[in-house]
Amino acid sequence: MDTKITGTVENVVYSNEETGFGVVELDVRGESVTTVGELSGTNVGEELTVFGEYVNHPNFGLQFKAAAVQRILPSTSAAILKYLSNKAINGIGPALARAIVSSFGDETLEVIAKQPERLAQIKGISRNKAEEISQEFRQKYGLREAMEKLMSYSLDTAEAISLYRVFSDSAVELIDDNPYMLCGFPLYKDFDFSDAIALDKGFSQSDERRIRAAIIFILRHNLNNGHTCLPAEALIDKAADFLEIDRDSVEIALWQGVEDSTFGTSDRQDPKIFLSDMYSAEKYIAERISLLMSLKFPDDGDIEKRISAIERQNGIVYAELQREAIVHSLSSGVLVITGGPGTGKTTTLNAIIEICEQYGDKVMLCAPTGRAAKRLSELTNRNAKTIHRALEVAYGSGDELKFVHDENNPLKCTVVVIDEMSMVDVKLFSSLLRGIRPDCRLIMVGDSDQLPAVGAGNLLRDIIDSQCCPVIELQEIFRQAAQSLIIVNAHSIVDGIKPDLTARDRDFFFIKTNKEEGAKLVCDLVARRLPNYYDIDPMTDIQVLSPQRMGMMGTGSLNDALRERLNPREQTKSEMRSMGRIFRTGDRVMQVRNDYDIEYERDDGEKGTGVFNGDIGIVENVDYLNSRVVVRYDDRRVKYNFEQVKELEPAFAATVHKSQGSEFPAVVLVLCEVTRRLCYRNLLYTAVTRAKNLLVIVGDEQTVDAMVENDRKNLRYTGLKGMLCGE
């Protein structure tokens, strides 16, 4: 904060109450200064003292970028008149503002706050209206005081707004009483942030609130690593080391937390500890699957005839395991169909859907991501939705994502098919089970050898290993699929066999390179060699994948190199920088979080909401005049304001994890000096199976060998398998 300016707000150019971001024109000693920053809620006529620095924006010129703001309510008649005339308070327009200020002068705001009955003396203001005006002003002034107090804890405006929305006037009192509440909903601040405030207030290192907060922080941190729980003994040791206190104090606080349901626990000799919501989710899943498996779905004797009729109609013969899967789908409440590429999962699923429909079942098809749902629609020639879209998101109060469809309003379907089940996490699956009827049959399709879900849990593997329901593992590679080296090598990788890297005549190629030459080779493959030889579009048909983000061959560096080759800077192309990333007209980008509220418009004029994690599109325009970036996703156009651009990442290159559930015509897989922690078999297998028609691996044989040899499954602590087994 090098500079301080003080002035009166002349004009509010832009204000976003969700983020707190605003743009105002400030009169500083007669000079208009465009000021940007966390200025939402600012009104014309207010006096501001702003700390920050002058910056030169490439499109808007000289601006003052605010780092901190002190707001001062207007005190003179002229300033108060300007403040009230610009709708600072509902119900007061310019004419009424003049009448009020004429009557009370410099004391106007004091009268509004403390003597509203005097307002009723003015023509046009009843006693009720006077009270409403006073109440709104006090509320706004109270909010301002609360915001200033909240920001004194080093919270930014957006964070203060989030807290005030949830806790209202109690927010400050709650923080004073227990600063560790900042680690929870809605901010989830780092433990160290809250700890510094608490210790400054005199909290002891062994305060039970501190210990509980640390345990919650450790458990929540480990959700990001896929763990729904942690072994109790390991958790106690970890928390004691983290807090630098004795182990006994942690153990006492932990089991008291279990006693009052702050934490959940598996009742075993070697107990695991859960956050309460994760415990409830896994327990509910186990109970619902058990209920579905207890239901009887009688066989009318026609199933075999119907299967044979479909075989004749389509000119195919189902393998024994495929027939078994079809029969179980009609007689069992829960079924898992798993297997690698080319083993007939789609053929089997299409038969299941057709026979279910013949029996009058209403079948709902869903998948965890937008791209996976789109692919499922194409494979089945039927409508498929994301799980979120099927359940219909409805935001409610509290920490949980709410859905329209739940136990009280279940979906009107009798069979649910979930594709790409390996990608589904515990919380989402629990929500889905809550949103279907108690007698709705459940068919889960997925490849258990792929990477597990990004979210917490290891659902597909836990369900399979528990043996709680029929599991059909399709293993036979069908003749047509066997012609593809992508498929043959994918199965070799699963079996721990090094893939054939010498072939030059099919759909799987290996090109040796090093990290110094690798980026140049990748760019040439994508921009010139593959498009020329295979007649494919580098922007829509080719996806570069890398296991890692960092390094010369990580997605960060590759995206920069590919952008300059495929979409170089030109005067006709507008661009912007957000969070260190460049977004240019013509760039390939990926949505990296589910956004259920953002609006889109289709080419036919139809409007809707929702863009989902993994959706890939092209930047059509960077519009500085309206502060937005326009992105096209297939037949949809989405307008992001500049604050929403943080939901996007460049996608010329993407991580293997981000590609889950997607399939691309051509994939260039970069395996060059991959960091050791990412050298494992199911990551390589997942990457290889993203390619539909062509796969080119660029890298070194040692990395491929290391990944094939390392059969380290992603270790995830969960409780679901034990719950399904009745432990």
Side-chain angles (χ1 to χ4, degrees), residues 139-160:
Q139 200 170 38
K140 283 191 173 184
Y141 190 70
L143 166 63
R144 186 155 301 172
E145 285 185 322
M147 293 286 284
E148 288 178 359
K149 176 66 174 173
L150 290 171
M151 287 191 289
S152 72
Y153 289 117
S154 299
L155 300 173
D156 61 33
T157 305
E159 291 172 330

Side-chain angles (χ1 to χ4, degrees), residues 311 316-325 337-348 447 449 472-484 487-488 490-492 494-495 685:
E311 286 180 322
I316 59 175
V317 177
Y318 295 117
E320 182 181 346
L321 284 175
Q322 288 180 303
R323 296 181 77 93
E324 189 178 335
I337 302 173
T338 187
T343 56
K345 293 195 300 293
T346 300
T347 304
T348 306
D447 187 344
D449 290 312
I472 307 298
E473 183 177 0
L474 303 176
Q475 297 176 324
E476 179 185 347
I477 304 176
F478 289 91
R479 184 165 46 185
Q480 184 176 354
Q483 304 304 308
S484 167
I487 291 175
V488 171
H491 285 270
S492 295
V494 167
D495 294 334
Y685 173 74

Side-chain angles (χ1 to χ4, degrees), residues 480-591:
Q480 184 176 354
Q483 304 304 308
S484 167
L485 264 182
I486 294 173
I487 291 175
V488 171
N489 281 331
H491 285 270
S492 295
I493 291 166
V494 167
D495 294 334
I497 301 169
K498 180 182 173 181
D500 181 2
L501 302 180
T502 63
R504 290 287 181 271
D505 60 340
R506 303 217 306 223
D507 57 0
F508 186 110
F509 301 92
F510 174 79
I511 303 175
K512 187 173 183 177
T513 190
N514 54 46
K515 65 180 181 181
E516 286 75 22
E517 298 295 326
K520 183 178 178 181
L521 172 60
V522 170
C523 289
D524 196 45
L525 282 167
V526 174
R528 184 181 66 85
R529 291 167 61 175
L530 297 182
N532 289 348
Y533 192 82
Y534 291 98
D535 191 27
I536 53 180
D537 186 337
M539 293 296 288
T540 58
D541 296 332
I542 305 173
Q543 181 63 56
V544 176
L545 297 179
S546 174
Q548 55 201 26
R549 289 180 175 272
M550 308 304 291
M552 294 173 66
M553 300 299 280
T555 57
S557 296
L558 288 171
N559 267 310
D560 291 341
L562 285 163
R563 175 189 292 106
E564 294 315 308
R565 183 69 182 270
L566 295 172
N567 189 36
R569 184 193 300 267
E570 295 177 7
Q571 283 191 338
T572 57
K573 296 176 182 176
S574 53
E575 65 178 57
M576 71 164 294
R577 184 179 291 272
S578 173
M579 299 178 70
R581 302 188 184 107
I582 293 173
F583 294 95
R584 180 180 298 156
T585 299
D587 273 359
R588 180 181 169 100
V589 294
M590 178 186 288
Q591 176 81 13

Side-chain angles (χ1 to χ4, degrees), residues 204-401:
S204 75
Q205 286 198 313
S206 296
D207 190 294
E208 185 179 332
R209 291 167 292 182
R210 182 173 188 257
I211 298 172
R212 284 197 186 204
I215 293 170
I216 291 170
F217 177 76
I218 292 168
L219 288 171
R220 194 168 294 285
H221 173 78
N222 277 277
L223 292 179
N224 297 326
N225 297 323
H227 306 298
T228 63
C229 56
L230 290 176
E233 292 301 309
L235 177 59
I236 292 168
D237 288 339
K238 177 76 174 174
D241 289 344
F242 180 67
L243 295 171
E244 298 180 337
I245 62 172
D246 65 281
R247 194 178 186 280
D248 289 346
S249 296
V250 175
E251 189 168 6
I252 291 168
L254 172 64
W255 293 111
Q256 284 179 341
V258 170
E259 193 72 27
D260 62 24
S261 299
T262 299
F263 308 113
T265 183
S266 54
D267 187 20
R268 304 182 190 178
Q269 299 247 332
D270 183 20
K272 296 188 179 80
I273 304 298
F274 304 71
L275 292 168
S276 59
D277 58 338
M278 298 309 300
Y279 178 75
S280 298
E282 289 203 324
K283 191 166 184 290
Y284 184 81
I285 290 168
E287 290 170 350
R288 281 301 305 270
I289 288 179
S290 177
L291 173 63
L292 284 170
M293 285 304 301
S294 71
L295 301 177
K296 305 298 180 185
F297 299 92
D299 178 2
D300 67 356
D302 285 343
I303 294 177
E304 291 293 341
K305 292 179 183 177
R306 292 177 187 269
I307 295 173
S308 298
I310 293 175
E311 286 180 322
R312 290 192 299 272
Q313 176 185 321
N314 297 325
I316 59 175
V317 177
Y318 295 117
E320 182 181 346
L321 284 175
Q322 288 180 303
R323 296 181 77 93
E324 189 178 335
I326 297 167
V327 171
H328 273 301
S329 73
L330 296 160
S331 60
S332 177
V334 182
L335 171 67
V336 173
I337 302 173
T338 187
T343 56
K345 293 195 300 293
T346 300
T347 304
T348 306
L349 182 57
N350 277 324
I352 289 171
I353 295 168
E354 186 168 341
I355 292 177
C356 285
E357 289 173 345
Q358 289 176 10
Y359 277 108
D361 282 311
K362 186 171 182 182
V363 182
M364 185 186 79
L365 305 180
C366 59
T369 68
R371 291 185 70 84
K374 182 182 177 184
R375 183 165 169 261
L376 181 60
S377 292
E378 293 167 350
L379 294 173
T380 61
N381 199 29
R382 289 169 172 84
N383 184 39
K385 299 179 179 180
T386 64
I387 297 172
H388 291 89
R389 178 65 75 194
L391 294 175
E392 298 181 53
V393 175
Y395 287 97
S397 60
D399 196 359
E400 292 293 320
L401 183 64

Side-chain angles (χ1 to χ4, degrees), residues 45 165 193 230 300 335 399 443 566 596 638 669 714:
R165 279 210 186 103
F193 181 90
L230 290 176
D300 67 356
L335 171 67
D399 196 359
I443 300 168
L566 295 172
Y596 310 100
V638 178
L669 175 59
N714 282 15

